[in-house]
Amino acid sequence: MERDVAERRVVVGVDGSSSSYEALRWAVRYAGLVGGTVEAIAVWELPGLYGWSAPAVDMDVDEEETRQRMRKELTDVLGADAADSVRSHVVHGNPADVLLRAAEGAEVLVVGSRGRGGFAAALLGSVSQHVSQHASCPVVIVRAQKQ
């Protein structure tokens, strides 16, 4: 993820959850107001990858599948024109760590309040809670709209 230090970067985590879609919409609106660029980050991690055995999957296939799914989600959520203006990155690793690294020097880091896992009754997901406590830039946590 190459960076131009003069540009106003808005980094947003996208994980397929409804709150991450709201975060993506918020990030695009905010970037438009401040003349910034949006970097959407999708992080993938294989469960059990760091255990005692090697992964039984092709990691390149999983990354390409994630990349294709992200492009489709960006288009579905934002429309084709707006999706084309978003820089998308698919990164393997721990979601909170990847987002914190990506947000270094950013104008703001935007995340959804809850991802796809965890306990539904929790106010914040583990990733949004972690980045809110450790980011080197302001963090905006966006809730999903009620259905």
Side-chain angles (χ1 to χ4, degrees), residues 12-16 20-21 23-25 27-28 38-42 66-90:
V12 59
V14 179
D15 69 359
S20 80
Y21 294 159
L24 179 61
R25 290 182 188 102
V28 168
V38 176
E39 291 185 8
I41 312 293
T66 302
R67 194 176 309 284
Q68 290 173 1
R69 188 170 51 239
M70 182 177 188
R71 180 50 46 197
K72 181 183 181 327
E73 288 176 358
L74 290 176
T75 302
D76 290 350
V77 172
L78 300 173
D81 291 338
D84 287 341
S85 69
V86 173
R87 297 178 189 162
S88 62
H89 304 281
V90 175

Side-chain angles (χ1 to χ4, degrees), residues 103-109 131 134-139:
E104 290 175 4
E107 175 90 6
V108 66
L109 170 60
V131 300
H134 299 284
S136 60
C137 65
V139 176

Side-chain angles (χ1 to χ4, degrees), residues 30-110:
Y30 180 79
L33 292 172
V34 300
T37 59
V38 176
E39 291 185 8
I41 312 293
V43 183
W44 66 280
E45 183 175 41
L46 294 174
L49 178 63
Y50 303 106
W52 57 269
S53 65
V57 295
D58 182 350
M59 291 176 64
D60 292 332
V61 171
D62 290 336
E63 182 175 0
E64 185 55 33
E65 180 182 320
T66 302
R67 194 176 309 284
Q68 290 173 1
R69 188 170 51 239
M70 182 177 188
R71 180 50 46 197
K72 181 183 181 327
E73 288 176 358
L74 290 176
T75 302
D76 290 350
V77 172
L78 300 173
D81 291 338
D84 287 341
S85 69
V86 173
R87 297 178 189 162
S88 62
H89 304 281
V90 175
V91 182
H92 176 261
N94 174 277
D97 293 342
V98 169
L99 289 172
L100 289 171
R101 280 195 313 274
E104 290 175 4
E107 175 90 6
V108 66
L109 170 60
V110 186

Side-chain angles (χ1 to χ4, degrees), residues 112-124:
S113 61
R114 300 237 357 101
R116 296 175 4 177
F119 301 99
L123 293 176
L124 290 179

